[in-house]
Amino acid sequence: MEVSVKAAVRKWEAVRGFALGLPEVVEEFPWGPGDAVMKVNKKIFVFLGNTDGPPGISVKLKDEALHGHAMTAPGAEPTGYGLGRSGWVSVPLGEEGAPSAEVLCEWVEESYRTVALKRHARELDARIEADG
């Protein structure tokens, strides 16, 4: 059973906003206005799809526990084009029981850390510490 499209879009927007708030993130639209990628250090750390049906995200999760958790989300699957072999997971946001925006943002942060430079991670850690 699918959840409301509005709820899925709200999660997508929350994840997008969170990703844009990470240090030195650039948003690009290589496939058109509805499909964004977030990059740091010229490397993609999240795909945000919103044009081919309900919104969804793809993140790179090297941490086995997080990867395993992401794969249990309804409709989750290894990301196509061979990216799944490198730890990428695609998660639709329109499925009943889809992860909360908070969990999705945790995955986005982990994905960010896998491609960010050490100075980016230090800046993020300093922000988190300052926010308490």
Side-chain angles (χ1 to χ4, degrees):
M1 180 178 193
E2 291 187 8
V3 298
S4 78
V5 173
K6 285 184 182 180
V9 169
R10 278 194 301 273
K11 286 181 187 180
W12 186 91
E13 289 172 345
V15 168
R16 179 179 175 266
F18 175 81
L20 285 171
L22 296 169
E24 297 188 39
V25 168
V26 176
E27 181 178 39
E28 294 180 2
F29 301 92
W31 303 286
D35 293 311
V37 297
M38 301 293 173
K39 293 182 174 183
V40 63
N41 193 36
K42 299 183 181 176
K43 295 180 181 177
I44 297 172
F45 67 94
V46 66
F47 293 90
L48 293 165
N50 199 16
T51 54
D52 295 335
I57 71 164
S58 296
V59 288
K60 185 174 186 175
L61 300 173
K62 291 219 170 197
D63 179 277
E64 285 186 33
L66 287 177
H67 187 272
H69 183 232
M71 288 299 294
T72 66
E77 61 186 11
T79 302
Y81 305 104
L83 294 172
R85 290 191 298 273
S86 299
W88 284 88
V89 179
S90 294
V91 180
L93 304 182
E95 299 289 324
E96 183 73 37
S100 68
E102 181 179 37
V103 168
L104 294 166
C105 289
E106 287 175 18
W107 296 345
V108 167
E109 181 180 331
E110 176 66 22
S111 188
Y112 172 87
R113 290 178 182 276
T114 66
V115 301
L117 298 174
K118 288 181 182 175
R119 70 178 170 86
H120 296 129
R122 283 193 302 269
E123 184 179 339
L124 179 58
D125 290 338
R127 284 186 193 178
I128 292 169
E129 190 174 308
D131 290 343

